[in-house]
Every structure is written in structure tokens, then in C-alpha cells.
């Protein structure tokens, strides 16, 4: 029963995460904390273990999502690799820094991160792109439509580094920063930003997971079961994205995140 629960968690987190380009950690971490509280897990977990499990499971989601998005030609890999220059080293540093965050503070900060993510999901479609000084231009054709956009590599690397650091500490993908950065600052089309975000998350979570393995935080058996579900979710999410608007799913997701975030902040206090 325990392992079926973990697989189902992976499917839900992977589907929701890949659908909106977040990765799924925003669902996996609080869910595992809840499972731990209810006594549904046979092995006791510290919050560092949960962060490591979440981050490694995101690899499965991001890999499946990246394969699917690549088939549809949605990923701007050249831009994604530039952004990874900031995210890669930062996620490793974040994994190390997370070892020193007290549990109560972890709950409060993660709850605040969840509320911030919900806000970005709510306003993402209504925010107009900003005009900034750019030094890299892109002409990207996706599904027969040619898009033109540009970005400043230094701003992109700096924001990606912040997202990577947060991902390493909390076990999330970092997509709550990547997608708004690409859409709001650099005028990426939303579907290209979402797909490119998952590609960046794949690279960053591999680095972060290696760091957690070296720190001894990984519970491999739990990673495998959550990861199996996450892989399936990573296939389902992009498929739904090509067929559905996803608005109803996003409304439900935002409501769940808000309720869980408030509970985590209260627990931390």
C-alpha cells in the first residue's frame, strides 16, 4: 500500500508539474511530509531526505516531459543551456545549504514559496512582457509558427542561479522562477517557456541530486517508486497541454497549494 501511494503521488506531481513547467516538487514535498505525519511511511524521514527524494523524482518527470516536448519541437535548447550556467552550480550549493535550515524555518519558508508560486500561476497569463536591454536574439519555429524574442544573458543567469539555489534547498524544480522569467522578462511564448523550463529543470535536478547523494540524504527505494509515477506524469502532462487549456486543473492546483501552504506556515510557527 505504501508503494502504491508513492507511485500515485509521483503521477499527480509529475502531471501537474510538467503541465505548467514547475517540476512537481511543490506537490511532492508537502505530500511526503503529510505521509510522514500520518505514519503511512515505514521509514522515518527528515526534511533533508524528503527534499532529496523530491529532487531526484523530478528527474523522471523532467526527462519524460523533455522527450515529449522535444518531439513536438517546443524546447529552445540553446537558451536553456545558457540559463543552466546559473542554475547548475547554484542548485548544488542550495543542496548543501539546506542541511543547515532548521525544520520549523523550513516549513515556514516552503509555505511562503508555495504562496508565491500560486501568485505567479494566477497572474502569469495576465502580465505583459517587460522591455529590457537584450544581448541575445532568437528566432524559434514551433509547430509551424515562428516566434521572435530576445533576452539579456546576465539577467537570465542571475535569476536562474536564484531559482537553482531555491531548488536545491527545497527540492522543487525551480520552474516557478524560470517560466515567469522567460515569459515576463524575455517575451518567450508560454508553451516554449514551459517546455524549456522542464529541460532546464532536468539538467539542474541531476546536479542537485548528485549533491544530495554525496550528502547521504537519499532514500533510494522511495525515489524509485515516486520516480516511476513521476515519469508517467511527465508523459501525461505535455500530452494534456497539447489537448487542453488546463485552466480548470490550474484552479484546483492553486487552491490545493494555498491550503497546504497555510498549514505548513502554521506548523512552522
Amino acid at each position: 500500500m505504501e508503494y502504491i501511494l508513492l507511485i500515485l503521488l509521483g503521477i499527480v506531481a509529475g502531471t501537474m508539474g510538467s503541465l505548467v513547467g514547475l517540476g512537481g516538487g511543490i506537490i511532492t514535498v508537502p505530500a511526503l511530509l503529510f505521509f510522514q505525519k500520518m505514519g503511512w511511511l515505514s521509514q522515518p524521514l527528515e526534511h533533508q531526505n524528503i527534499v532529496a527524494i523530491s529532487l531526484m523524482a523530478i528527474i523522471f518527470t523532467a526527462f519524460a516531459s523533455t522527450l515529449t516536448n522535444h518531439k513536438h519541437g517546443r524546447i529552445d535548447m540553446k537558451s536553456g543551456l545558457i540559463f543552466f550556467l546559473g542554475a547548475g552550480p547554484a542548485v548544488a550549493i542550495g543542496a548543501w545549504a539546506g542541511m543547515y535550515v532548521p525544520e520549523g524555518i523550513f516549513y515556514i519558508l516552503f509555505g511562503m514559496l508555495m504562496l508565491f508560486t500560486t501568485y505567479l500561476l494566477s497572474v502569469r497569463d495576465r502580465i505583459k512582457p517587460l522591455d529590457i536591454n537584450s544581448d541575445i536574439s532568437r528566432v524559434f519555429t514551433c509547430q509551424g509558427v515562428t516566434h521572435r524574442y530576445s533576452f539579456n544573458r546576465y539577467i537570465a543567469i542571475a535569476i536562474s542561479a536564484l531559482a537553482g539555489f531555491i531548488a536545491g534547498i527545497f527540492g522543487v524544480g525551480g520552474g516557478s522562477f524560470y517560466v515567469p522569467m522567460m515569459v515576463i522578462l524575455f517575451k518567450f511564448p508560454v508553451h516554449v517557456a514551459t517546455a524549456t523550463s522542464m529541460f532546464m529543470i532536468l539538467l539542474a535536478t541531476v546536479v542537485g541530486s548528485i549533491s544530495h547523494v554525496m550528502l547521504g540524504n537519499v532514500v533510494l527505494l522511495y525515489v524509485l517508486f515516486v520516480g516511476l509515477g513521476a515519469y508517467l506524469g511527465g508523459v501525461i502532462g505535455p500530452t494534456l497541454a497539447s489537448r487542453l487549456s488546463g485552466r480548470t486543473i490550474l484552479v484546483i492546483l492553486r487552491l490545493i497549494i494555498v491550503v497546504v501552504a497555510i498549514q505548513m506556515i502554521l506548523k512552522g510557527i
Side-chain angles (χ1 to χ4, degrees), residues 6-253:
L6 292 174
I7 292 173
L8 291 175
L9 167 60
I11 292 174
V12 173
T15 300
M16 294 295 187
S18 59
L19 183 64
V20 295
L22 299 181
I26 207 76
I27 297 173
T28 304
V29 171
L32 287 175
L33 288 169
F34 177 74
F35 294 169
Q36 173 84 347
K37 179 182 177 181
M38 297 300 294
W40 295 346
L41 301 178
S42 59
Q43 183 167 337
L45 301 175
E46 300 292 335
H47 74 270
Q48 297 98 328
N49 303 127
I50 290 175
V51 166
I53 292 168
S54 174
L55 204 62
M56 293 192 74
I58 291 172
I59 294 176
F60 293 84
T61 301
F63 179 72
S65 180
T66 296
L67 286 179
T68 304
N69 283 319
H70 180 65
K71 290 178 182 178
H72 290 88
R74 299 189 188 117
I75 303 174
D76 182 352
M77 288 193 174
K78 290 183 179 179
S79 299
L81 289 172
I82 292 174
F83 302 155
F84 175 69
L85 293 177
V91 72
I93 297 172
W96 171 80
M99 298 284 291
Y100 300 95
V101 178
E103 185 171 306
I105 300 299
F106 177 86
Y107 281 117
I108 294 172
L109 292 179
F110 195 91
M112 294 173 64
L113 175 64
M114 293 177 74
L115 292 177
F116 179 68
T117 300
T118 304
Y119 169 75
L120 291 178
L121 287 173
S122 300
V123 303
R124 186 175 71 180
D125 295 336
R126 299 195 299 271
I127 294 179
K128 295 181 179 179
L130 302 176
D131 290 323
I132 63 171
N133 293 324
S134 303
D135 59 358
I136 294 180
S137 298
R138 288 279 186 261
V139 178
F140 186 79
T141 301
C142 175
Q143 295 176 322
V145 179
T146 299
H147 304 278
R148 289 177 172 82
Y149 48 90
S150 58
F151 61 90
N152 183 295
R153 77 183 73 192
Y154 303 107
I155 294 176
I157 291 174
I159 295 176
S160 297
L162 173 62
F165 182 72
I166 291 173
I169 292 178
F170 296 109
V172 297
S176 55
F177 289 85
Y178 298 143
V179 176
M181 171 185 73
M182 287 185 276
V183 173
I184 298 170
L185 296 182
F186 306 143
K187 303 180 182 180
F188 276 60
V190 173
H191 57 288
V192 175
T194 301
T196 305
S197 171
M198 292 306 297
F199 170 63
M200 295 160 56
I201 287 171
L202 172 61
L203 300 178
T205 49
V206 167
V207 174
S209 296
I210 292 172
S211 300
H212 279 291
V213 169
M214 296 176 65
L215 292 168
N217 294 334
V218 177
V219 181
L220 185 58
L221 190 61
Y222 286 179
V223 169
L224 293 176
F225 283 103
V226 177
L228 173 60
Y231 181 85
L232 296 174
V235 174
I236 295 170
T239 303
L240 287 177
S242 63
R243 298 180 181 180
L244 303 174
S245 68
R247 292 187 180 275
T248 301
I249 295 175
L250 285 177
V251 170
I252 297 173
L253 178 61

